[in-house]
Amino acid sequence: MTNLHGNRKIPGWRDIDAEEFRAYVGLLVLSGVYRSKHESTKSLWSEKWGRSIFRATMSQKRFQNISRALRFDDKLSRPQRHVDKMAPFRKVWNMWTHRLEMLFSPDRDLCVDEQLVAFKGRCSFRQYMPKKPAKYGIKIWAACDVKTSYAWRLQVYTGKAAPDRVEVNQGMRVVLDMTEGLQGHVVTCDNFFTSCALADELLKRKMALVGTIRQNKPELPPHLLQAKKREIFSSIFAFTNTHTLVSYIPRRGKNVLLLSTKHRRPDVSKEGKRKPVIIEDYNKCKGGVDNLDKVVGTYSCRRRTNYWPLALFHNVLDVSLYNAYVLWTSIESSWQKRKGHRRRVFIEEVGEMLVNPHIAKRGHLPRSSAAAAVVRFVTTAAAATGHSPIIKCKSRRQCELCKEKRRRVVNTCCKCEKYTCKDHSVTICNNCPI
């Protein structure tokens, strides 16, 4: 579809093959691991301040053309699928989410929450969520394993099914969709999702529920809703045959209500604030999706775009990289165990292994000496060993000779090993004495 759109819209388009597409994805991955998601493409390819591996892989113009042409469906056939708002990205999304569930079996504790993919362009189902850092974007319902934050099941919220009809019990419908096919798990969610009807339905499916619950639910006993004149750190419990409710006062005038079908005893911690065990278990499990947002944002490959399927594609890459890291460290638990930045090393190696086959087949060397050296290294190593090597890229430091403009560079002096920019260095050949 990318080649189809490129031939239609971009003059002189050269078709992209699978290897070049992997190299393009590898550059996106490397831009994320180098914390360059807000850095311009011109800066990434700059001979002075950029990184040589970008110039060694492909030209800046080719990268920009692929980004412009990247498509996931045929636009001319889209009117036949006008009912589906996700039509431009639906096929890839379904293939990807199906793969996520096949590769991992979640632990006992599961967290269901919402995720926001930042996007401010035109999109018919863009949401405004004032409590999220990005505020505007595409909302995704997510079910994550609490222990590892592995994204097990994801579902894009495309808005109301009918404009003139409000969806009733949306939270209950989402949790049931996110946990379909599971048994024996404990689902943790916030007060948007929690209700007694949801707890009953999960019990029928042999799953337990732990979550905060809103005070406007009609099934709550009146004495649990009273917070006035109650002692701070006090708890009141209510029980049925299958449900446990607790009301906890963390501070004056604040009443926290939780519903659980996992706990059957009024246990309270003896330490400090005397929190009920239900609240302690909820606090341990509630952050599965929030932690996923945090780790994905650390090395995000997201680039600025006005095309919402591309924003979703960047999020797919970010989540896939983290899920792949969880799977790899689960299988190879001793891999790079002594390093505190194992995930950065993993992502960097993934990005380099994606770009190296394309680098090794370049027809001519880049103009930049540093990029040409990378191409020679990859080509020589691939010819000698039969596989692409891992490129050890230098970290960028500030030029130690610049007094006013503190430029960040990767080149060092061959004698004193100080970091120097192009303005404070000279180039000589091997025949001339240093």
Side-chain angles (χ1 to χ4, degrees):
M1 297 305 167
T2 298
N3 288 328
L4 189 65
H5 186 77
N7 287 318
R8 289 172 179 168
K9 296 294 183 180
I10 300 177
W13 169 259
R14 186 178 78 253
D15 281 356
I16 182 174
D17 57 9
E19 185 180 87
E20 189 177 14
F21 180 72
R22 292 191 192 98
Y24 170 80
V25 172
L27 292 182
L28 289 176
V29 170
L30 290 174
S31 69
V33 80
Y34 299 145
R35 308 287 186 91
S36 303
K37 64 180 181 180
H38 296 304
E39 191 172 352
S40 66
T41 307
K42 183 179 179 181
S43 177
L44 288 175
W45 264 261
S46 170
E47 191 171 347
K48 286 188 176 182
W49 307 291
R51 289 184 178 267
S52 55
I53 193 169
F54 288 91
R55 298 190 299 275
T57 306
M58 64 178 67
S59 66
Q60 177 189 348
K61 183 178 180 181
R62 180 60 175 169
F63 181 86
Q64 290 175 330
N65 282 343
I66 295 174
S67 298
R68 284 175 56 197
L70 192 60
R71 293 297 183 273
F72 311 95
D73 75 323
D74 184 4
K75 187 176 181 179
L76 299 182
S77 68
R78 203 174 295 166
Q80 303 171 10
R81 298 166 282 138
H82 68 280
V83 178
D84 185 13
K85 296 179 181 179
M86 271 279 290
F89 198 65
R90 174 64 67 186
K91 186 176 180 179
V92 174
W93 180 265
N94 288 346
M95 292 168 60
W96 177 65
T97 52
H98 178 66
R99 182 68 60 88
L100 295 182
E101 300 173 22
M102 290 176 59
L103 296 176
F104 186 83
S105 295
D107 204 7
R108 186 191 66 168
D109 292 313
L110 202 70
C111 177
V112 177
D113 206 346
E114 55 196 11
Q115 181 189 33
L116 188 70
V117 178
F119 183 73
K120 289 189 176 181
R122 294 178 60 183
C123 179
S124 61
F125 48 91
R126 188 186 64 180
Q127 301 293 309
Y128 173 65
M129 301 176 68
K131 293 184 179 181
K132 294 287 185 180
K135 292 185 173 53
Y136 290 94
I138 300 170
K139 183 160 72 173
I140 298 177
W141 307 115
C144 291
D145 175 58
V146 170
K147 185 178 180 180
T148 61
S149 291
Y150 180 95
W152 184 72
R153 183 173 288 172
L154 300 172
Q155 183 184 94
V156 176
Y157 176 64
T158 56
K160 300 177 182 178
D164 56 344
R165 188 173 58 190
V166 178
E167 184 178 3
V168 181
N169 293 330
Q170 184 187 66
M172 178 177 174
R173 191 267 305 166
V174 169
V175 174
L176 295 178
D177 287 349
M178 292 290 102
T179 59
E180 187 177 358
L182 296 176
Q183 283 187 355
H185 291 76
V186 179
V187 180
T188 303
C189 52
D190 60 23
N191 57 19
F192 177 80
F193 305 95
T194 308
S195 66
C196 290
L198 174 61
D200 293 335
E201 191 62 34
L202 288 176
L203 285 174
K204 294 178 183 178
R205 301 186 180 189
K206 299 181 181 179
M207 285 183 284
L209 173 69
V210 178
T212 54
I213 188 169
R214 293 177 178 175
Q215 297 186 18
N216 60 357
K217 299 293 182 181
E219 58 267 23
L220 295 178
H223 66 279
L224 290 183
L225 304 178
Q226 297 175 1
K228 293 183 179 179
K229 299 181 181 180
R230 279 181 57 184
E231 183 183 353
I232 299 177
F233 305 146
S234 64
S235 301
I236 298 178
F237 290 85
F239 297 91
T240 66
N241 292 334
T242 54
H243 298 56
T244 300
L245 284 163
V246 62
S247 170
Y248 174 69
I249 305 295
R251 62 178 183 269
R252 192 172 302 279
K254 177 70 173 179
N255 188 7
V256 178
L257 296 169
L258 279 92
L259 170 68
S260 173
T261 56
K262 172 187 173 183
H263 305 83
R264 301 302 303 144
R265 298 171 58 184
D267 295 331
V268 177
S269 174
K270 296 180 180 179
E271 301 176 357
K273 297 182 179 180
R274 305 195 301 274
K275 290 184 180 180
V277 175
I278 298 177
I279 293 182
E280 291 184 340
D281 287 353
Y282 172 77
N283 289 339
K284 290 177 184 177
C285 301
K286 69 178 181 179
V289 178
D290 294 334
N291 185 62
L292 174 69
D293 286 339
K294 183 186 74 173
V295 295
V296 162
T298 305
Y299 301 114
S300 175
C301 65
R302 187 169 63 245
R303 310 292 299 168
R304 183 175 294 180
T305 178
N306 290 325
Y307 185 54
W308 67 261
L310 196 55
L312 276 182
F313 176 68
H314 293 158
N315 187 67
V316 165
L317 291 181
D318 290 337
V319 175
S320 297
L321 283 170
Y322 179 73
N323 282 1
Y325 171 73
V326 171
L327 295 174
W328 175 251
T329 51
S330 299
I331 298 169
E332 299 287 341
S333 57
S334 60
W335 178 80
Q336 303 284 0
K337 199 167 186 179
R338 294 184 179 180
K339 292 190 176 181
H341 54 286
R342 296 171 72 195
R343 183 164 164 254
R344 178 189 171 91
V345 175
F346 174 82
I347 298 175
E348 193 167 11
E349 289 191 9
V350 169
E352 290 173 0
M353 294 303 289
L354 286 170
V355 301
N356 284 351
H358 188 65
I359 294 176
K361 292 184 178 180
R362 285 202 64 160
H364 56 85
L365 293 177
R367 295 179 182 177
S368 168
S369 58
V374 172
V375 175
R376 290 193 199 98
F377 172 73
V378 174
T379 306
T380 305
T385 61
H387 63 272
S388 301
I390 296 294
I391 304 169
K392 299 299 181 183
C393 293
K394 297 180 181 179
S395 60
R396 286 194 292 181
R397 302 280 183 85
Q398 290 182 346
C399 175
E400 299 181 34
L401 301 179
C402 287
K403 294 182 179 180
E404 297 180 358
K405 296 181 180 179
R406 305 293 286 178
R407 295 170 176 149
R408 298 181 67 84
V409 293
V410 296
N411 297 327
T412 57
C413 176
C414 62
K415 280 191 173 181
C416 64
E417 296 186 352
K418 290 183 178 180
Y419 282 81
T420 55
C421 65
K422 292 285 184 180
D423 294 343
H424 296 95
S425 59
V426 294
T427 304
I428 59 175
C429 68
N430 293 329
N431 298 328
C432 296
I434 299 177

